[in-house]
C-alpha cells in the first residue's frame, strides 16, 4: 500500500526551493520525494534484516549454523556467475508477476491473481504458437507473446470488471480465479492438448522450436529478463509522468475525490487490471517460449505468489520491483544449494520468503514514525 | 467518582512552545485557567488554540515550558495521564455509539468496566447522577434518537460522569442550532458558577465569548496576545487583536438590479437515497440562474449532504433529472469541463482531496489533463509547479512547499486550496456546501468575497449552508430544505431570519413528536 511519511513534510524549509534538481521533481506524491523514497527504502531494508534474523533463528532451531546458511544463501544467489544467471532467470517472471499486483494497487485494488494470469498466459502462448506454426520465427514468437499477454489481461480485467459492476471484492475473486485457471490448465494439458509422447508428466503440445526465445549473448539468461525490465521502466514513466498515471493516483488515493473530478472510475480500474494481468500473462508466455518449450506443471511453481511478495516489498513501485525481484529470485535460486549442502528441504527458502513478506507488511506500521528521518 | 463538591482543578501553562518541523505552532504561551470560570480561547485557524489544548491533554508533548495542575508541575505524556488528572475534552465530532443507549454510552467510557455489568444498579446510579446535573437525558434513550444538541450535552455529561472537572469544548456550537448553542453554553456557565467546573471554550464566535465567557485569551500565530476579563473588553477590541492588521471585510452585497433570466442549472424532481437506504432527498426541484446565488438553508441532516453528493457525482440519483445549460448533466469530466461545473463539498479533505498527494497535485485535480499543464498525455511538471505556486500565492495558502502533503495543512488552508482550485477562470456553475465551516471570521469573509465576486462575474452559485448568517449575507434567493424537501422559497429582500428558522425546524419537530 502506498505509505508515505507525515513527518517527511516537516523538513521542508519555508523558503522556496531552488529551481528543481531533477531528482526532486520526481514525484507528484508527498513532500520531498527523496525523503519519502528514503523512508520506504529504510523500511524495506529494515524488514529484510529482521526477516533474516528470524530465519537465522529458524535455521538454528533446526540444528544448523545460521552464519553458514547465510553464506550458502549468498553463494547460491549471487556468489558465482552461474548462480547470478540462475537468480536472473528466476527473477525474470517474478518481475512481471509483481506488476500484476503493483499496477492495480495504484488505483487502490489488491489483486493477487498473478498466478492464474501467468498460467493462462502460458497456455494461450502454446495455443497461439501452435496455430501459427509454419510462420517465420519472430512472427510466431510475437503472436505467442501477444496471445499470452491478452489472456492474462482478460483474466485480471474480468476481476476489475466484477469489482466495478458487481461489487465483488477483487482480492477474493482474483484468488479464486487462480484456482480456476490452474484447473483449466491442468485439464487441457492432461487431455485435449496433451503431447502423449511425454510420459513423465502431463505436457502440452510443444511450441515450434523456431519460436523459442533465445539467450542474451554471452549469458545463459533469456531475453525475457530484458522485456520485464523494459516494461517496468515504461510503466514507471507512464504512472509518474502522464495524465493517465495522475488519474490513477487520484483514484487510488481517494475515490470520492475522483468522483468529484469526474474521472471515469470504471475505465481506470479496468485499465489498471488489464495492464497488471497482461504483464503476468506475458510472464507465462515467456516461460513457455524461453524455458520449457511447452506448457506443463513446471509452470505452476508459485511465480505469481512470489510476485505479490515482490510488489509489496517494492511498495508497489514498478522501478523498485526490478532490484527486489532480483533479490527474491536469488533467494529462490539458492534453494538447491541449501538442499545439497545442509540437507534442508527445498522449501526452506519459501520460509524465508514468507518471513520477509510478514516483516514487510508489519513494517508499514512504522511509516512516518521514524524520528531521525524527519530531522 | 461523581463527587461534585470537589473543586475543579486549576490549570496553568508557562512558556509552552511546540514546533512542527519549520512551523512554530506554539510560542512561549503562558495562561492560567482559573478554577470555576469559563475561559474562551479565541483565534484564527492556525493560531495555536488546538495545539495549546492538545499539549495540555497529552496528545502532543511540548518542546519546552511547563504545565501545572493545582500548582503541581505535571509532565503530561499521554491522554490517559490528563484524564487521571481530571482534564477532559469534548470534540467537534461526536464520539458516541449511536446504536447504544445513553446509559451504555456513559458506562462505556469508564476506565474499568466489570466483566458483568449490573445494569439495574447502573441505572439507579445514573439517575442519581443526572439529578445533580443541570441538564438531563433519559438513560434508556438510544443515542441515534437524540438531536445534535442532546448529543452534545451527552458528550459533556460523559465527561462529568467520568469525573472530569476541567473541560475543553472545541467549537461546541458548530453543529448546534442557535437555540441549542445558547442553552448548552448557558448551562456550562451555570455549572462553572456553582464552582464545579472549569471550562475552556475554543471558538471563533465573538458573540459566544461576550455572552458566556468570563475570561478571554486571544491567540495569533502561536502566541498569546492578551488575556482579559470578557466584561472589560469589547468585540471591536477582540477583533482587532485577533486579526492584527488584516481588516475584516464583508462581501459587498448591495441590492442588485434584476437577475438575468434563464436557469443555468435546473434540478427537476430529484430523489436520492441516503446511506441507510431511505429516501433522503424527495422530489426536489430548483433552478439556479447565471449571476445569482441560490442558497439552500436548512438544519444539518435534512438531505443537503445527499443532494450535494448527487450534484458532485458521489451518489447516484434515484429519480429526477439534472440539467446544466439545457443539457442532461451526467457528471462526467468532459461535461464538468464543458459546462464549467465546480464543487466544494463538506469536509474537503475527505471528499475533495487526495490526502496522500501534494498540495500541488490537489490543486491540479481539475486541470492536469488540459493544456498548458498537459501536453499530449504528459503532465508537464515545471508548468504545473509554476501554476501551483501562483495559486498558492494568490490564495495565500500557508504551506511549507507545493510538494507538502495536503493533509499537513490546517483546515482553513485545505479549504483555501480547494477553493483556489474550484474558482478557476472557466467557472460557470459553483456548488458549495458549508464553505466556511470551521473557518475564522477573516477567512470566512475572504471566501464570501470570492463567492460574491464569482457571482458578479456571472457565475451561477448554489450555496448549501447551515449557517443562516452566511445565507442571509450572500444569497439572492433562499430556499429552505427540510426532511429532504424544499419547503419554502423567498427572495433575499423579503427574507426574515425567524421565518426561515421556523421553516427549517418545522419538519424535524414533526418527526421528533
Amino acid at each position: 500500500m502506498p505509505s508515505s511519511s507525515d513527518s517527511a513534510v516537516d523538513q521542508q524549509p519555508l523558503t522556496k526551493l531552488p529551481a528543481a534538481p531533477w531528482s526532486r521533481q520526481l514525484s507528484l506524491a508527498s513532500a520531498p520525494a527523496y525523503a519519502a523514497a528514503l523512508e520506504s527504502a529504510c523500511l524495506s531494508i529494515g524488514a529484510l534484516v529482521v526477516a533474516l534474523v528470524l530465519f537465522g533463528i529458524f535455521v538454528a532451531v533446526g540444528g544448523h549454523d545460521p552464519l553458514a546458511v547465510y553464506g550458502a544463501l549468498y553463494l547460491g544467489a549471487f556468489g558465482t556467475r552461474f548462480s547470478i544467471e540462475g537468480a536472473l532467470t528466476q527473477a525474470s517472471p517474478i518481475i512481471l508477476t509483481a506488476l500484476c499486483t503493483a499496477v492495480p494497487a495504484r488505483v487502490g485494488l489488491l489483486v493477487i491473481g498473478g498466478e492464474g494470469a501467468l498460467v493462462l498466459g502460458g497456455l494461450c502462448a502454446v495455443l497461439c504458437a501452435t496455430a501459427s506454426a509454419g510462420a517465420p520465427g519472430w512472427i510466431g514468437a510475437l503472436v505467442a507473446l501477444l496471445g499470452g499477454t491478452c489472456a492474462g489481461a482478460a483474466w485480471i480485467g474480468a476481476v476489475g470488471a466484477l469489482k466495478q459492476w458487481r461489487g465483488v471484492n477483487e482480492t477474493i475473486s482474483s484468488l479464486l480465479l487462480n484456482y480456476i485457471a490452474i484447473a483449466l490448465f491442468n485439464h487441457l494439458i492432461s487431455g485435449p492438448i496433451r503431447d502423449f509422447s511425454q510420459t513423465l508428466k502431463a505436457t502440452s503440445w510443444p511450441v515450434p522450436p523456431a519460436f523459442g526465445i533465445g539467450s542474451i549473448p554471452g549469458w545463459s539468461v533469456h531475453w525475457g529478463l530484458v522485456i520485464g525490465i523494459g516494461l517496468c521502466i515504461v510503466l514507471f514513466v507512464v504512472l509518474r509522468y502522464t495524465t493517465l498515471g495522475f488519474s490513477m493516483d487520484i483514484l487510488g488515493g481517494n475515490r470520492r475525490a475522483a468522483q468529484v473530478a469526474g474521472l471515469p472510475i470504471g475505465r481506470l480500474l479496468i485499465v489498471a487490471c488489464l495492464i497488471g494481468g497482461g504483464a503476468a500473462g506475458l510472464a507465462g508466455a515467456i516461460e513457455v517460449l524461453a524455458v520449457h518449450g511447452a506448457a506443463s506443471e513446471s509452470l505452476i511453481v508459485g511465480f505469481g505468489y512470489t510476485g505479490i511478495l515482490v510488489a509489496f516489498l517494492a511498495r508497489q513501485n514498478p522501478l523498485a520491483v526490478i532490484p527486489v525481484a532480483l533479490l527474491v529470485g536469488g533467494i529462490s535460486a539458492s534453494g538447491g544449494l541449501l538442499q545439497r549442502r545442509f540437507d534442508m528441504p527445498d522449501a526452506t527458502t519459501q520460509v524465508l520468503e514468507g518471513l520477509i513478506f510478514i516483516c514487510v507488511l508489519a513494517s508499514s506500521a512504522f511509516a512516518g514514525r521514524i524520528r531521525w528521518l524527519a530531522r | 467518582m461523581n463527587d461534585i463538591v470537589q473543586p475543579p482543578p486549576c490549570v496553568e501553562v508557562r512558556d509552552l512552545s511546540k514546533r512542527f518541523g519549520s512551523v512554530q505552532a506554539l510560542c512561549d504561551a503562558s495562561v492560567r485557567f482559573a478554577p470555576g470560570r469559563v475561559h474562551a480561547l479565541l483565534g484564527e485557524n492556525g493560531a495555536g488554540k488546538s495545539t495549546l489544548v492538545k499539549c495540555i491533554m497529552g496528545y502532543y508533548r511540548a518542546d519546552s515550558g511547563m504545565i501545572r495542575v493545582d500548582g503541581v508541575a505535571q509532565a503530561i505524556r499521554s491522554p490517559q495521564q490528563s484524564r487521571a488528572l481530571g482534564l477532559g475534552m469534548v470534540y467537534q465530532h461526536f464520539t458516541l455509539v449511536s446504536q447504544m443507549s445513553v446509559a451504555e454510552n456513559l458506562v462505556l467510557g469508564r476506565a474499568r468496566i466489570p466483566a458483568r455489568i449490573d445494569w439495574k444498579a447502573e441505572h439507579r446510579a445514573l439517575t442519581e447522577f443526572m439529578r445533580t446535573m443541570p441538564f438531563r437525558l433519559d438513560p434508556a434513550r438510544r443515542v441515534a434518537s437524540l438531536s445534535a444538541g442532546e448529543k452534545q450535552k451527552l458528550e459533556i455529561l460523559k465527561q462529568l460522569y467520568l469525573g472530569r472537572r476541567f473541560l475543553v469544548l472545541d467549537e461546541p456550537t458548530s453543529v448546534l442550532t442557535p437555540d441549542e448553542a445558547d442553552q448548552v453554553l448557558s448551562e456550562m456557565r451555570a455549572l462553572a458558577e456553582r464552582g464545579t467546573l472549569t471550562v475552556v471554550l475554543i471558538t471563533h464566535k465573538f458573540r459566544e465569548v461576550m455572552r458566556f465567557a468570563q475570561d478571554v485569551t486571544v491567540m495569533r500565530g502561536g502566541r498569546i496576545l492578551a488575556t482579559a476579563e470578557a466584561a472589560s473588553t469589547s468585540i471591536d477590541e477582540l477583533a482587532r487583536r485577533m486579526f492584527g492588521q488584516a481588516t475584516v471585510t464583508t462581501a459587498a452585497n448591495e441590492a442588485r438590479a434584476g437577475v438575468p433570466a434563464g436557469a443555468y442549472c435546473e434540478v427537476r424532481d430529484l430523489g436520492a437515497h441516503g446511506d441507510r437506504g431511505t429516501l433522503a432527498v424527495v422530489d426536489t426541484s430548483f433552478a439556479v440562474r447565471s449571476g445569482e446565488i441560490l442558497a439552500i438553508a436548512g438544519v444539518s441532516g435534512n438531505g443537503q449532504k445527499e443532494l450535494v453528493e448527487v450534484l458532485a457525482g458521489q451518489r447516484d440519483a434515484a429519480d429526477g433529472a439534472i440539467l446544466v445549460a439545457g443539457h442532461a448533466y451526467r457528471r462526467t469530466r468532459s461535461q464538468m469541463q464543458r459546462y464549467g461545473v465546480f464543487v466544494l463539498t463538506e469536509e474537503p479533505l475527505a471528499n475533495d482531496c487526495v490526502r496522500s498527494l501534494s498540495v500541488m497535485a490537489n490543486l491540479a485535480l481539475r486541470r492536469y489533463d488540459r493544456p498548458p499543464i498537459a501536453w499530449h498525455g504528459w503532465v508537464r511538471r515545471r508548468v504545473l509547479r509554476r501554476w501551483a505556486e501562483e495559486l498558492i500565492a494568490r490564495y495565500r495558502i500557508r504551506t511549507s512547499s507545493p510538494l507538502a502533503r495536503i493533509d499537513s495543512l490546517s483546515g482553513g488552508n485545505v479549504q483555501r486550496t480547494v477553493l483556489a482550485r474550484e474558482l478557476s477562470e472557466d467557472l460557470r456553475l459553483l456548488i458549495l456546501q458549508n464553505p466556511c465551516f470551521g473557518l475564522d471570521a477573516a477567512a470566512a469573509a475572504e471566501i464570501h468575497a470570492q463567492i460574491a465576486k464569482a457571482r458578479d462575474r456571472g457565475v451561477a452559485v448554489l450555496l448549501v449552508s447551515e449557517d443562516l448568517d452566511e445565507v442571509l449575507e450572500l444569497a439572492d434567493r433562499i430556499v429552505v430544505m427540510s426532511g429532504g424537501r424544499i419547503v419554502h422559497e423567498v427572495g433575499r429582500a423579503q427574507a426574515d431570519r425567524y421565518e426561515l428558522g421556523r421553516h427549517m425546524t418545522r419538519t424535524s419537530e414533526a418527526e421528533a413528536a
Side-chain angles (χ1 to χ4, degrees):
Chain A
M1 297 292 100
S3 61
S4 33
S5 108
D6 291 322
S7 50
V9 296
D10 290 343
Q11 66 176 39
Q12 267 295 319
L14 251 177
T15 48
K16 246 192 221 172
L17 287 169
W22 177 82
S23 63
R24 282 203 185 159
Q25 294 232 321
L26 273 180
S27 171
L28 270 178
S30 67
Y34 56 90
L38 182 66
E39 193 201 28
S40 39
C42 283
L43 285 177
S44 292
I45 292 168
L48 216 63
V49 170
V50 173
L52 278 173
V53 169
L54 290 175
F55 181 67
I57 296 172
F58 168 77
V59 166
V61 167
H64 301 282
D65 174 14
L67 292 179
V69 172
Y70 291 148
L73 261 178
Y74 174 75
L75 203 64
F78 310 108
T80 63
R81 185 187 169 105
F82 175 75
S83 55
I84 291 177
E85 285 171 345
L88 291 174
T89 308
Q90 286 277 324
S92 156
I94 299 174
I95 287 178
L96 288 167
T97 52
L99 293 175
C100 188
T101 299
V103 177
R106 297 299 278 256
V107 293
L109 297 182
L110 176 54
V111 168
I112 55 173
E115 187 83 0
L118 174 136
V119 162
L120 281 192
L123 190 67
C124 197
V126 170
L127 297 178
C128 290
T130 313
S132 48
W138 65 274
I139 289 186
L142 202 62
V143 169
L145 289 179
L146 273 178
T149 307
C150 291
W155 199 245
I156 303 299
V159 169
L162 281 171
K163 167 79 178 176
Q164 172 62 15
W165 289 301
R166 282 286 163 267
V168 182
N169 179 303
E170 77 281 1
T171 313
I172 304 291
S173 70
S174 59
L175 175 68
L176 297 181
L177 280 171
N178 282 344
Y179 296 118
I180 298 177
I182 291 169
L184 192 66
F185 179 86
N186 282 332
H187 169 71
L188 289 180
I189 62 166
S190 56
I193 64 167
R194 178 163 188 176
D195 176 2
F196 287 96
S197 67
Q198 301 281 335
T199 48
L200 203 58
K201 58 184 173 185
T203 304
S204 74
W205 303 324
V207 170
F211 298 170
I213 297 177
S215 295
I216 304 169
W219 288 80
S220 71
V221 178
H222 59 77
W223 281 103
L225 181 71
V226 176
I227 298 178
I229 291 176
L231 190 61
C232 279
I233 294 172
V234 167
L235 282 175
F236 174 79
V237 170
V238 165
L239 292 178
R240 281 264 160 144
Y241 296 106
T242 66
T243 54
L244 176 70
F246 201 131
S247 309
M248 287 186 173
D249 278 347
I250 293 170
L251 177 56
N254 184 357
R255 192 184 169 94
R256 291 177 70 80
Q259 287 171 326
V260 164
L263 295 179
I265 290 174
R267 209 184 309 160
L268 287 172
L269 288 182
I270 290 171
V271 164
C273 286
L274 287 175
I275 295 173
L282 181 61
I286 290 173
E287 283 300 292
V288 165
L289 295 185
V291 181
H292 306 296
S296 71
E297 282 163 7
S298 340
L299 206 54
I300 316 175
V301 290
F303 286 135
Y305 296 111
T306 311
I308 304 169
L309 161 71
V310 170
F312 273 84
L313 197 53
R315 300 193 186 264
Q316 324 294 359
N317 180 332
L319 210 54
V321 157
I322 302 170
V324 174
L326 293 178
L327 180 74
V328 173
I331 292 172
S332 304
S334 63
L337 190 64
L338 289 186
Q339 194 173 13
R340 269 175 276 126
R341 191 168 288 181
F342 299 96
D343 200 22
M344 293 166 113
D346 191 32
T348 309
T349 56
Q350 288 180 12
V351 172
L352 178 55
E353 285 174 15
L355 284 172
I356 293 174
F357 194 44
I358 300 289
C359 291
V360 166
L361 289 182
S363 75
S364 55
F366 294 96
R369 296 199 192 168
I370 307 179
R371 283 285 163 86
W372 58 266
L373 260 178
R375 296 270 170 260
Chain B
M1 169 181 281
N2 302 331
D3 185 9
I4 287 285
V5 286
Q6 184 193 347
C10 167
V11 175
E12 190 180 357
V13 301
R14 274 284 180 80
D15 302 326
L16 217 57
S17 294
K18 176 74 187 169
R19 196 179 178 84
F20 295 107
S22 58
V23 179
Q24 187 77 43
L26 199 59
C27 185
D28 293 334
S30 298
V31 62
R32 180 170 180 273
F33 300 106
R37 288 174 77 86
V38 178
H39 194 131
L41 268 185
L42 190 66
E44 291 188 85
N45 279 310
K49 296 168 302 198
S50 342
T51 310
L52 171 61
V53 164
K54 282 180 176 166
C55 285
I56 297 176
M57 289 298 151
Y59 286 100
Y60 296 148
R61 281 180 70 180
D63 300 330
S64 61
M66 75 161 126
I67 301 166
R68 282 201 289 215
V69 180
D70 286 332
V72 183
Q74 298 279 358
I76 301 178
R77 290 209 179 81
S78 70
Q80 285 80 5
Q81 261 178 303
S82 69
R83 278 178 218 147
L85 291 167
L87 318 181
M89 181 152 175
V90 176
Y91 296 91
Q92 282 181 47
H93 52 265
F94 296 124
T95 59
L96 302 167
V97 184
S98 55
Q99 292 85 6
M100 288 189 174
S101 69
V102 168
E104 285 167 331
N105 267 285
L106 288 175
V107 174
L108 188 77
R110 285 210 313 242
R112 268 189 295 277
I113 308 174
R116 190 188 152 276
I117 301 174
D118 181 356
W119 282 109
K120 262 189 198 154
E122 293 291 349
H123 272 275
R124 263 199 307 281
L126 279 173
T127 321
E128 195 59 35
F129 163 73
M130 291 283 186
R131 206 180 319 236
T132 65
M133 289 291 119
F135 40 82
R136 290 178 191 102
L137 291 168
D138 178 359
R141 274 183 74 186
R142 220 150 267 288
V143 167
S145 73
L146 301 180
S147 72
E150 287 171 318
K151 282 183 192 159
Q152 186 71 261
K153 285 180 194 166
L154 178 53
E155 292 279 6
I156 294 168
L157 279 176
K158 190 162 106 183
Q159 296 297 324
L160 298 175
Y161 173 74
L162 297 172
R164 318 259 158 82
R165 298 285 170 260
F166 175 89
L167 267 198
V168 178
L169 306 180
D170 189 5
E171 291 176 33
T173 59
S174 57
V175 292
L176 305 182
T177 65
D179 274 352
E180 286 174 327
D182 286 2
Q183 206 196 347
V184 168
L185 287 179
S186 59
E187 275 155 0
M188 296 311 290
R189 170 78 181 254
L191 276 178
E193 278 176 351
R194 275 164 48 196
T196 55
L197 196 63
T198 308
V199 178
V200 176
L201 178 68
I202 299 181
T203 186
H204 295 137
K205 296 181 182 163
F206 295 115
R207 197 185 66 91
E208 288 170 5
V209 174
M210 299 314 287
R211 220 173 132 188
F212 300 107
Q214 288 149 299
D215 302 314
V216 53
T217 291
V218 182
M219 296 188 73
R220 174 150 49 92
R223 289 170 194 278
I224 288 187
L225 297 181
T227 298
E229 287 206 19
S232 67
T233 181
S234 67
I235 290 185
D236 285 345
E237 195 188 333
L238 289 176
R240 234 186 4 262
R241 287 196 181 274
M242 185 167 148
F243 300 122
Q245 302 307 315
T247 47
V248 182
T249 53
T250 50
N253 199 347
E254 288 81 43
R256 290 159 44 77
V259 167
Y264 187 69
C265 168
E266 200 182 342
V267 170
R268 281 189 197 154
D269 304 324
L270 194 75
H273 293 289
D275 288 334
R276 276 172 299 172
T278 52
L279 265 187
V281 179
V282 192
D283 285 342
T284 293
S285 302
F286 57 84
V288 195
R289 303 185 195 104
S290 295
E292 78 161 352
I293 298 177
L294 173 71
I296 297 186
V299 178
S300 164
N302 275 282
Q304 302 99 313
K305 173 170 155 271
E306 288 80 3
L307 172 66
V308 171
E309 283 177 345
V310 170
L311 293 172
Q314 295 177 326
R315 184 181 290 276
D316 286 327
D319 62 320
I322 306 166
L323 298 168
V324 176
H327 299 276
Y329 178 59
R330 289 188 313 277
R331 309 171 301 179
T332 60
R333 191 169 177 86
S334 65
Q335 275 194 329
M336 287 174 187
Q337 293 180 346
R338 191 175 328 137
Y339 302 132
V341 182
F342 290 81
V343 187
L344 170 67
T345 69
E346 212 170 39
E347 294 178 60
L349 196 55
N351 287 319
D352 303 348
C353 295
V354 185
R355 278 169 183 279
S356 52
L357 296 184
S358 62
V359 173
M360 174 168 90
N362 275 288
L363 278 169
L365 198 73
R366 300 240 181 235
R367 293 299 300 268
Y368 69 89
D369 57 348
R370 282 193 294 168
I373 295 170
W375 181 77
H376 297 289
W378 296 87
V379 178
R380 291 157 80 187
R381 243 139 251 274
R382 277 160 200 278
V383 179
L384 172 56
R385 172 119 190 195
R386 267 204 304 279
W387 178 81
E389 276 167 356
E390 201 188 304
L391 278 185
I392 286 169
R394 197 190 318 154
Y395 285 86
R396 294 199 294 283
I397 299 164
R398 271 185 65 179
T399 170
S400 53
S401 140
L403 296 184
R405 268 172 67 133
I406 184 97
D407 56 4
S408 69
L409 269 54
S410 72
N413 281 306
V414 172
Q415 203 105 353
R416 271 199 204 112
T417 306
V418 178
L419 213 67
R421 170 179 98 200
E422 302 297 313
L423 286 172
S424 86
E425 49 269 37
D426 3 284
L427 175 65
R428 270 182 285 162
L429 170 61
L430 181 61
I431 297 162
L432 301 152
Q433 184 181 19
N434 296 325
C436 300
F437 189 83
L439 296 193
D440 58 71
E446 188 188 315
I447 287 174
H448 286 168
Q450 296 273 14
I451 297 170
K453 214 160 78 188
R455 183 261 321 269
D456 296 342
R457 229 164 70 198
V459 172
V461 181
L462 177 67
L463 171 70
V464 179
S465 178
E466 287 152 28
D467 182 348
L468 213 46
D469 292 326
E470 183 175 73
V471 166
L472 287 166
E473 183 189 336
L474 283 174
D476 297 302
R477 257 179 334 125
I478 301 165
V479 298
V480 174
M481 196 163 181
S482 179
R485 294 168 193 276
I486 302 284
V487 295
H488 184 62
E489 176 172 347
V490 64
R492 190 170 72 99
Q494 295 85 43
D496 171 82
R497 173 183 296 265
Y498 297 98
E499 177 75 6
L500 288 174
R502 211 167 52 73
H503 286 288
M504 279 161 61
T505 51
R506 199 175 50 185
T507 319
S508 33
E509 273 166 15
E511 270 170 12

